[in-house]
Amino acid sequence: MAVSMDDDVPLILTLDDSGSSTSAPLDAMDREELPNENGGSYDVIHDASSPAAGDCCAQQSSARHNWEMNYQEAAIYLQEGENNDKFFTHPKNAKALAAYLFAHNHLFYLMELSTALLLLLLSLCEAPAVPMLRLGIFVHATLELFALIVVVFELSMKMRWLGFQTFIRHKRTMVKTCVLFVQFIEAIVVLVRQTSHVRITRALRCIFLVDCRYCGAVRRNLRQIFQSLPPFIDILLLLLFFMVIFAILGELYLWKVNVFFQYFNTLENSLVNLFVLLTTSNFPDVMMPSYARNPWSCVFFIVYLSIELYFIMNLLLAVVFDTFNDIEKRKFKSLLLHKRTAIQHAYRLLITKQRPSGISFKHFEGLLRFYKPRMCARERYLTFKALNQSNTPLVSLKDFYNFYEVVGLKWKAKRNREHWFDDLPRTAFLIFKGINILVKSRAFQYTMYTVVAVNGVWILVETFMLQGGNFFSRNVPWSYIVFLTIYGVELLLKTTGLGPVEYLSSGWNLFDFSVTLFAFLGLMALAFNMEPFYFIVVLRPLQLLRLFKLKKRYRNVLDTMFELFPRMASLGLTLLIFYYCFAIVGMEFFAGVVYPNCCNTSTVADAYRWVNHTVGNKTVVEEGYYYLNNFDNILNSFGKGSFVCSKDYSLEGVTSQTTHWSRLYFMIFYIVTMVVMTIIVAFILDAFVFRMNYTRKNQDSEEDNGIVLEKEISKEEVIGIIELYKRISAATETAQLQKIVLQMDKYGQMSAVFLGRRSRTKSDLSMKMYEEEIQVWWAVDEVCSRLTSSCAQGLL
Amino acid sequence: MAVSMDDDVPLILTLDDSGSSTSAPLDAMDREELPNENGGSYDVIHDASSPAAGDCCAQQSSARHNWEMNYQEAAIYLQEGENNDKFFTHPKNAKALAAYLFAHNHLFYLMELSTALLLLLLSLCEAPAVPMLRLGIFVHATLELFALIVVVFELSMKMRWLGFQTFIRHKRTMVKTCVLFVQFIEAIVVLVRQTSHVRITRALRCIFLVDCRYCGAVRRNLRQIFQSLPPFIDILLLLLFFMVIFAILGELYLWKVNVFFQYFNTLENSLVNLFVLLTTSNFPDVMMPSYARNPWSCVFFIVYLSIELYFIMNLLLAVVFDTFNDIEKRKFKSLLLHKRTAIQHAYRLLITKQRPSGISFKHFEGLLRFYKPRMCARERYLTFKALNQSNTPLVSLKDFYNFYEVVGLKWKAKRNREHWFDDLPRTAFLIFKGINILVKSRAFQYTMYTVVAVNGVWILVETFMLQGGNFFSRNVPWSYIVFLTIYGVELLLKTTGLGPVEYLSSGWNLFDFSVTLFAFLGLMALAFNMEPFYFIVVLRPLQLLRLFKLKKRYRNVLDTMFELFPRMASLGLTLLIFYYCFAIVGMEFFAGVVYPNCCNTSTVADAYRWVNHTVGNKTVVEEGYYYLNNFDNILNSFGKGSFVCSKDYSLEGVTSQTTHWSRLYFMIFYIVTMVVMTIIVAFILDAFVFRMNYTRKNQDSEEDNGIVLEKEISKEEVIGIIELYKRISAATETAQLQKIVLQMDKYGQMSAVFLGRRSRTKSDLSMKMYEEEIQVWWAVDEVCSRLTSSCAQGLL
């Protein structure tokens, strides 16, 4: 890295000469072998100022330098393939490479993230601020300017890496630049005027968060949302169309019959009420007055709700679900092809002129040094062996295609002993063996289930009997201690019987462990009367979740739940980002609009009432509470976001205090929430249906513990690699490998077996589900690439 | 039919001797050919008392009689196959056959239906009755007894048809019998005591409706609901589990913090409130008091809602959707196999000993006479020809398997002329041709779309400008007349240009036609000031629906909507049946419980308030309206059903007046509604996803007008069939066919071409979707049946 950071050295980009590569003699010296593409993009020509040395030596050092460059570029290609970064953002020269490396590490990412968060959190302190966090205008404007300058720095690094042309073409970055520009000007204006103006543009601050490296999942979600939009909007139009028809019907016919005096007196009211009816939040209320006068008017509502709520809303879901399904598959396909292309790019950089049929371990090792710097020498070799399906010492392109599947494996020496206590003396062994058998027996398991069930019933009865007594008495209830003791003993038995490593390798055991631990902490809290930790005690009922292990469907459901969790979190974050935008806009428009007793002239006066009057000698507070749903600061505005549309009181309350156009805000908010929610539902549906289909298809292989590969390496191989490492004088690697040789010598083995293991990802499942289709994709891709290359060679 | 209705003739069941059929000489006389199975199940042996006649003649008549029997049984088999009736209910002898025929015609079905409806509607008149419809106890009890006696008669017919053994084994019929027994006793008790007692069993009256022939779709839905129940209940338990955990948390922790004084003071309240929270009807209300005291308590609600509402409820949907998908496919498969078996049964009855390789037209015609009595002779022959794929005069079993697909075709002579006006004189032809070209042009279509759009905007603006003016003025607005004239002209042009038959063959044109007709009727109503028909006027905006024809997705959606309609209706009926049960139960328990100002001591006093007080000199009525949600008669109880759970006011109101156990009623009601609703959603989802997959798979064949078959018949063939009919002296058929010959002679043709057409059903689509799998099913079925037959023959 340090090499190419030196900007004084002139850098020239040379084109590759792969066309002539096959003509090179195959029996050339291994040490002097040249990369197939001369140093890829970052070829360095040493000028006269480079340290004078023997010609041969200079050439050799240059070759090694070239190789290092190639390794690095190949690693970058592979990373791009993994992260689904497009190749047109691939750094094109050494200067770009330096910027790329600077901008692609966790420190930089963290800086990005913290800047974005700082900008978002500033809304807490800017007027109208959360009272506790109010900051002076000078302070928060300076903070903002500082954060924006950091963003400018980030963007300049990006421009350096991408080059001006690509930078301009990269849409997301351009949007970010524009937003940055606007924010900059506004921040300066605030600083100069020393007063905040209406800044709806603050809602755009989200883009800084979305652009963060760590928010890739959010970007993916947003892309998916935008892709689902066209069909969604089509159906939404249908929905609105029926709404308009019913609004006209409601206004013309039903109002004429003088029934809906307040709800349907104008077309606008009619529309708004039908819209709110879609959320069912005003349901019987909107219907009761008309129903009181003419029972048949309920037909209007029933037909409306059947068409809109039960038919078209489901249609929305169906369309989104279908689009989602389709997009998921296409995304999977494009990702797969992208990875394949990345592998091809990397492969071309790693083969030599002398041996164009595959990658030797030396070069593979060089690649991994850049791709996964933390990997130890043993794992590198095992990965190489796992990839290499043929008996030759080279990894062919076909083998190399499995790179991503294999590189994630965690390698461990296969234990010869079955249990952790096999090496212990006879007596201890027998005891532990007994415990092991006991712990693994069905009887033990079902006893524990019974205990959990009894515990559950106990808690229920206890809670029921309590009826308002003080649960948190200073005396710890004896049942608590008894059950905790049983769980503790179980934990102890399992840990000793299975060994801590095996015990904690199962997610369910981990769950048991943490719940028991929490229960113990709760006991401590009770015993030492530490009030703030009381909440731990109430987590006890979670122990009951263990019962769901009993049935396969629940295991499936809970497993899927855990698998879905990261994706759900990212979807939640996406929703929060939308909420943030709406919160800012709401705050700018409606801050200070709603307060206790604000709406006494409107129809929702009750909901906002706050009266403090005296009956007899007691002070009675009549509260409508809805005044709490205000937009007075970002937290309230945000909180409001999460439930604003479930009640039309807020809508009416705010509308009665402002203009009718504020209804638009609530409607748009509801629709956006609906879009995201529908996509969340479609996502959950898709995930579960996929899972269920998968289990149905693979009923035979019931319990799978992820992907496992077994590889054997002999002593000679290890010694061979040590030689190799010695030649490039890599001391740590040599030491690591020598340890293995020592181990083998100790046990008198001629070879050692290693197990590579990783958990199954969604991609693996999809690979298995679409097995046949993938073959077709490959074939098509093959033909396409061949056609393109023939075109390029002027054969067509 | 009259033959076997004669019960005096002794009937003996003979076993078939098909084993020896192949040994019969193949060149036997056509007239004397014997059925392969001697008269199937209903073989008649004429005893000595039969009219004395020549031996030959008697034998011939007996053979013909046997054949008639076979035709009838084959037709019954095919009907059973079509209706998915199990074969164990197949009538086993002539007495059973008579009962079967008696119980299988529309008159009997109508009787069944009307009895069931009468029994259901009686609830309107029984105390607590709808005031207008109240009947004396003597009257309604007598009516009930009468209806029950009719049901007894129906059941006795069914017993006669099924036989006692099968009757006992038929679950649905047994349940019906038990319910009938209970109802009978209760009706007599009411009649004797002259006063109604608590009769929750009236809820069981639904079973009479469900058992009706016409309610087959409802039965199918119920079956599907019950099949979806096991996975549904699993997930429901998960839901309840989390609810209990949160209830305990809410009661223990949050009540302790003294926050939820009213909502979470006991475990029961805690549970009920969380349950209602699931319907989101009490959402911000239940949270606001705690939020007012401690903003962080909203975390409790957010976590609860995320887990329960957004995760587990969707999970419910996913599980039901998956099960539904699976069930649909299995149902389709079993139906297909059932039909196949039915065809095999029928085939075996129709082949002769002499020619066991296929069915001749004579026998096929005999079958159709029973299977579709209304089919004319020409259609019978065309169906035969459409089935017959080989050049032989016999329909083989393989051909016969297509029976159900072919028998539904409507046959029409293929017109040689393209338009209806081709035969008109030159001038008229040119005029009509011009209109035809105009009507079919894109310009015309888009002009009409523009007109519709303008009309839509006009209506909107008009309604908006109205703002409370009297829309139904005596003067008909001129815009109405203008637009109606345009539509009228369009209708006229299209009818003349395309011909009425072609015009009305398209569903969209039919829609246009009826909307225009309604608009015209509305105009009449306005012009002649007929108030009750004003509602027709407001249907005008429906014209706008035409705009949706423009986009393919909408066409798809609306087509699917129409396709779904019958199924949706049956699902709606199923839901209504559930509502009926709950309405009866609710009425028995809660009649008279809720009334104005009933709940002044409870938390929901406002919703039930009805105060009539004077402010100044005006009388102000303050209404809470919720007292209207009562159970005082079946209609209210029913109406309540549809929205009871969307507001917890009703729940609280009723609970405050009765015991806490009444909450259980509301909860069960909500859960049942949820089940049915989830299934409806799953059904809609499934239908749309299926449709979208189908269109994606068949993108090339964009517009399909159903299934079309073309068959040519020559003059000789027709004459041959006439001979055949003459021999069996069927005068009407002969006349029909001779008309065709005359027609051919008139145009000097030697043959005529006929087109068979029917609309595509879901089954056809499924056939196409599962094409490959169906082949596998056939193969497996073939092997299975061969194995069974070899087993039967003792070869294994």
Side-chain angles (χ1 to χ4, degrees), chain B residues 82-108:
Chain B
E82 199 181 6
N83 301 328
N84 201 18
D85 291 330
K86 296 290 158 281
F87 295 125
F88 76 90
T89 65
H90 187 78
K92 290 195 181 51
N93 51 42
K95 201 172 82 179
L97 180 69
Y100 177 89
L101 290 174
F102 183 80
H104 283 78
N105 61 65
H106 289 283
L107 238 118
F108 189 84

Short mmCIF file of all heavy atoms in Angstrom, two decimals, chain B residues 82-108:
data_model
loop_
_atom_site.label_atom_id
_atom_site.label_comp_id
_atom_site.label_asym_id
_atom_site.label_seq_id
_atom_site.Cartn_x
_atom_site.Cartn_y
_atom_site.Cartn_z
N GLU B 82 -67.83 -35.44 -12.00
CA GLU B 82 -67.84 -33.99 -12.17
C GLU B 82 -68.06 -33.27 -10.84
O GLU B 82 -67.43 -32.26 -10.55
CB GLU B 82 -68.95 -33.62 -13.15
CG GLU B 82 -68.78 -32.26 -13.77
CD GLU B 82 -69.92 -31.95 -14.72
OE1 GLU B 82 -70.88 -32.75 -14.79
OE2 GLU B 82 -69.86 -30.92 -15.38
N ASN B 83 -68.99 -33.81 -10.04
CA ASN B 83 -69.34 -33.14 -8.79
C ASN B 83 -68.46 -33.55 -7.62
O ASN B 83 -68.71 -33.15 -6.49
CB ASN B 83 -70.79 -33.44 -8.42
CG ASN B 83 -71.75 -32.97 -9.48
OD1 ASN B 83 -71.48 -31.99 -10.16
ND2 ASN B 83 -72.84 -33.69 -9.65
N ASN B 84 -67.47 -34.38 -7.91
CA ASN B 84 -66.58 -34.86 -6.86
C ASN B 84 -67.36 -35.60 -5.77
O ASN B 84 -67.02 -35.52 -4.59
CB ASN B 84 -65.78 -33.70 -6.27
CG ASN B 84 -64.53 -34.17 -5.58
OD1 ASN B 84 -64.10 -35.30 -5.81
ND2 ASN B 84 -63.97 -33.35 -4.73
N ASP B 85 -68.44 -36.31 -6.15
CA ASP B 85 -69.12 -37.19 -5.20
C ASP B 85 -68.32 -38.48 -5.11
O ASP B 85 -67.88 -39.01 -6.13
CB ASP B 85 -70.53 -37.52 -5.69
CG ASP B 85 -71.44 -36.32 -5.64
OD1 ASP B 85 -71.22 -35.46 -4.77
OD2 ASP B 85 -72.36 -36.24 -6.48
N LYS B 86 -68.16 -38.94 -3.89
CA LYS B 86 -67.38 -40.18 -3.74
C LYS B 86 -68.17 -41.37 -4.30
O LYS B 86 -69.39 -41.40 -4.28
CB LYS B 86 -67.07 -40.42 -2.26
CG LYS B 86 -66.17 -39.34 -1.68
CD LYS B 86 -64.76 -39.42 -2.24
CE LYS B 86 -64.03 -38.09 -2.10
NZ LYS B 86 -64.37 -37.10 -3.12
N PHE B 87 -67.45 -42.37 -4.79
CA PHE B 87 -68.13 -43.50 -5.45
C PHE B 87 -68.81 -44.43 -4.47
O PHE B 87 -69.63 -45.23 -4.86
CB PHE B 87 -67.14 -44.28 -6.32
CG PHE B 87 -66.63 -43.46 -7.46
CD1 PHE B 87 -65.28 -43.28 -7.66
CD2 PHE B 87 -67.51 -42.87 -8.35
CE1 PHE B 87 -64.82 -42.51 -8.71
CE2 PHE B 87 -67.06 -42.09 -9.39
CZ PHE B 87 -65.71 -41.92 -9.57
N PHE B 88 -68.47 -44.31 -3.20
CA PHE B 88 -69.15 -45.23 -2.28
C PHE B 88 -70.60 -44.80 -2.05
O PHE B 88 -71.38 -45.55 -1.49
CB PHE B 88 -68.37 -45.41 -0.96
CG PHE B 88 -68.47 -44.27 0.01
CD1 PHE B 88 -69.50 -44.24 0.96
CD2 PHE B 88 -67.55 -43.23 0.01
CE1 PHE B 88 -69.59 -43.21 1.86
CE2 PHE B 88 -67.65 -42.19 0.91
CZ PHE B 88 -68.66 -42.19 1.84
N THR B 89 -70.94 -43.60 -2.51
CA THR B 89 -72.35 -43.20 -2.45
C THR B 89 -73.08 -43.54 -3.75
O THR B 89 -74.24 -43.17 -3.93
CB THR B 89 -72.49 -41.69 -2.20
OG1 THR B 89 -71.95 -41.00 -3.33
CG2 THR B 89 -71.76 -41.25 -0.96
N HIS B 90 -72.40 -44.23 -4.63
CA HIS B 90 -73.00 -44.62 -5.91
C HIS B 90 -74.20 -45.54 -5.65
O HIS B 90 -74.08 -46.48 -4.87
CB HIS B 90 -71.93 -45.33 -6.74
CG HIS B 90 -72.36 -45.64 -8.13
ND1 HIS B 90 -72.37 -44.68 -9.12
CD2 HIS B 90 -72.79 -46.77 -8.70
CE1 HIS B 90 -72.80 -45.22 -10.23
NE2 HIS B 90 -73.06 -46.49 -10.02
N PRO B 91 -75.36 -45.28 -6.28
CA PRO B 91 -76.53 -46.13 -6.03
C PRO B 91 -76.24 -47.58 -6.43
O PRO B 91 -75.71 -47.82 -7.51
CB PRO B 91 -77.61 -45.50 -6.89
CG PRO B 91 -76.91 -44.66 -7.87
CD PRO B 91 -75.66 -44.19 -7.22
N LYS B 92 -76.60 -48.50 -5.55
CA LYS B 92 -76.15 -49.87 -5.75
C LYS B 92 -77.19 -50.78 -6.37
O LYS B 92 -76.87 -51.85 -6.84
CB LYS B 92 -75.69 -50.44 -4.41
CG LYS B 92 -74.40 -49.79 -3.96
CD LYS B 92 -73.73 -50.54 -2.86
CE LYS B 92 -72.46 -49.78 -2.47
NZ LYS B 92 -72.70 -48.34 -2.20
N ASN B 93 -78.45 -50.39 -6.34
CA ASN B 93 -79.47 -51.22 -6.98
C ASN B 93 -80.59 -50.34 -7.50
O ASN B 93 -80.55 -49.12 -7.33
CB ASN B 93 -80.01 -52.27 -5.98
CG ASN B 93 -80.44 -51.62 -4.68
OD1 ASN B 93 -81.07 -50.56 -4.71
ND2 ASN B 93 -80.11 -52.24 -3.56
N ALA B 94 -81.57 -50.93 -8.08
CA ALA B 94 -82.60 -50.14 -8.78
C ALA B 94 -83.39 -49.27 -7.81
O ALA B 94 -83.76 -48.15 -8.14
CB ALA B 94 -83.54 -51.07 -9.53
N LYS B 95 -83.62 -49.79 -6.57
CA LYS B 95 -84.36 -49.00 -5.60
C LYS B 95 -83.54 -47.76 -5.25
O LYS B 95 -84.06 -46.62 -5.23
CB LYS B 95 -84.61 -49.83 -4.34
CG LYS B 95 -85.75 -49.35 -3.50
CD LYS B 95 -86.07 -50.34 -2.38
CE LYS B 95 -85.15 -50.14 -1.19
NZ LYS B 95 -85.44 -51.06 -0.08
N ALA B 96 -82.25 -47.99 -5.00
CA ALA B 96 -81.36 -46.89 -4.69
C ALA B 96 -81.32 -45.92 -5.86
O ALA B 96 -81.32 -44.70 -5.68
CB ALA B 96 -79.97 -47.41 -4.38
N LEU B 97 -81.31 -46.48 -7.07
CA LEU B 97 -81.26 -45.64 -8.26
C LEU B 97 -82.47 -44.72 -8.32
O LEU B 97 -82.34 -43.52 -8.60
CB LEU B 97 -81.19 -46.50 -9.51
CG LEU B 97 -81.14 -45.71 -10.82
CD1 LEU B 97 -79.83 -44.99 -10.96
CD2 LEU B 97 -81.39 -46.60 -12.01
N ALA B 98 -83.63 -45.29 -8.03
CA ALA B 98 -84.85 -44.48 -8.06
C ALA B 98 -84.73 -43.33 -7.08
O ALA B 98 -85.00 -42.17 -7.41
CB ALA B 98 -86.05 -45.36 -7.71
N ALA B 99 -84.29 -43.64 -5.85
CA ALA B 99 -84.14 -42.59 -4.84
C ALA B 99 -83.09 -41.58 -5.29
O ALA B 99 -83.25 -40.37 -5.11
CB ALA B 99 -83.74 -43.21 -3.51
N TYR B 100 -82.01 -42.11 -5.91
CA TYR B 100 -80.94 -41.22 -6.37
C TYR B 100 -81.48 -40.23 -7.39
O TYR B 100 -81.22 -39.03 -7.30
CB TYR B 100 -79.82 -42.07 -6.99
CG TYR B 100 -78.69 -41.25 -7.57
CD1 TYR B 100 -77.61 -40.87 -6.77
CD2 TYR B 100 -78.69 -40.86 -8.90
CE1 TYR B 100 -76.58 -40.12 -7.29
CE2 TYR B 100 -77.66 -40.11 -9.44
CZ TYR B 100 -76.61 -39.73 -8.62
OH TYR B 100 -75.60 -38.99 -9.13
N LEU B 101 -82.24 -40.78 -8.34
CA LEU B 101 -82.78 -39.91 -9.39
C LEU B 101 -83.76 -38.90 -8.81
O LEU B 101 -83.80 -37.75 -9.22
CB LEU B 101 -83.45 -40.74 -10.48
CG LEU B 101 -82.48 -41.56 -11.30
CD1 LEU B 101 -83.24 -42.48 -12.25
CD2 LEU B 101 -81.53 -40.67 -12.07
N PHE B 102 -84.50 -39.34 -7.82
CA PHE B 102 -85.48 -38.45 -7.19
C PHE B 102 -84.76 -37.30 -6.47
O PHE B 102 -85.20 -36.15 -6.51
CB PHE B 102 -86.35 -39.23 -6.20
CG PHE B 102 -87.42 -38.39 -5.59
CD1 PHE B 102 -88.60 -38.12 -6.30
CD2 PHE B 102 -87.29 -37.86 -4.32
CE1 PHE B 102 -89.59 -37.34 -5.75
CE2 PHE B 102 -88.28 -37.08 -3.76
CZ PHE B 102 -89.43 -36.82 -4.48
N ALA B 103 -83.64 -37.66 -5.83
CA ALA B 103 -82.95 -36.67 -5.00
C ALA B 103 -81.94 -35.85 -5.80
O ALA B 103 -81.28 -34.98 -5.23
CB ALA B 103 -82.24 -37.36 -3.84
N HIS B 104 -81.78 -36.15 -7.09
CA HIS B 104 -80.80 -35.41 -7.88
C HIS B 104 -81.46 -34.68 -9.03
O HIS B 104 -81.23 -35.01 -10.19
CB HIS B 104 -79.70 -36.34 -8.40
CG HIS B 104 -78.73 -36.68 -7.33
ND1 HIS B 104 -78.98 -37.62 -6.35
CD2 HIS B 104 -77.49 -36.19 -7.05
CE1 HIS B 104 -77.95 -37.71 -5.54
NE2 HIS B 104 -77.03 -36.85 -5.95
N ASN B 105 -82.28 -33.72 -8.71
CA ASN B 105 -82.73 -32.81 -9.74
C ASN B 105 -83.02 -31.46 -9.11
O ASN B 105 -83.11 -31.35 -7.88
CB ASN B 105 -83.94 -33.37 -10.49
CG ASN B 105 -85.10 -33.60 -9.57
OD1 ASN B 105 -85.64 -32.64 -9.01
ND2 ASN B 105 -85.46 -34.86 -9.33
N HIS B 106 -83.15 -30.46 -9.92
CA HIS B 106 -83.18 -29.10 -9.39
C HIS B 106 -84.38 -28.84 -8.50
O HIS B 106 -84.32 -28.04 -7.57
CB HIS B 106 -83.11 -28.10 -10.53
CG HIS B 106 -81.77 -28.08 -11.17
ND1 HIS B 106 -80.69 -27.46 -10.59
CD2 HIS B 106 -81.29 -28.67 -12.28
CE1 HIS B 106 -79.63 -27.64 -11.33
NE2 HIS B 106 -79.95 -28.37 -12.37
N LEU B 107 -85.49 -29.54 -8.75
CA LEU B 107 -86.66 -29.35 -7.90
C LEU B 107 -86.35 -29.74 -6.47
O LEU B 107 -86.65 -29.02 -5.51
CB LEU B 107 -87.82 -30.19 -8.42
CG LEU B 107 -89.04 -29.37 -8.76
CD1 LEU B 107 -89.36 -29.50 -10.23
CD2 LEU B 107 -90.19 -29.77 -7.88
N PHE B 108 -85.73 -30.91 -6.35
CA PHE B 108 -85.38 -31.41 -5.01
C PHE B 108 -84.38 -30.47 -4.36
O PHE B 108 -84.50 -30.13 -3.18
CB PHE B 108 -84.80 -32.82 -5.14
CG PHE B 108 -84.61 -33.51 -3.83
CD1 PHE B 108 -85.65 -34.18 -3.21
CD2 PHE B 108 -83.38 -33.48 -3.20
CE1 PHE B 108 -85.47 -34.81 -2.00
CE2 PHE B 108 -83.19 -34.12 -1.99
CZ PHE B 108 -84.23 -34.78 -1.39
#
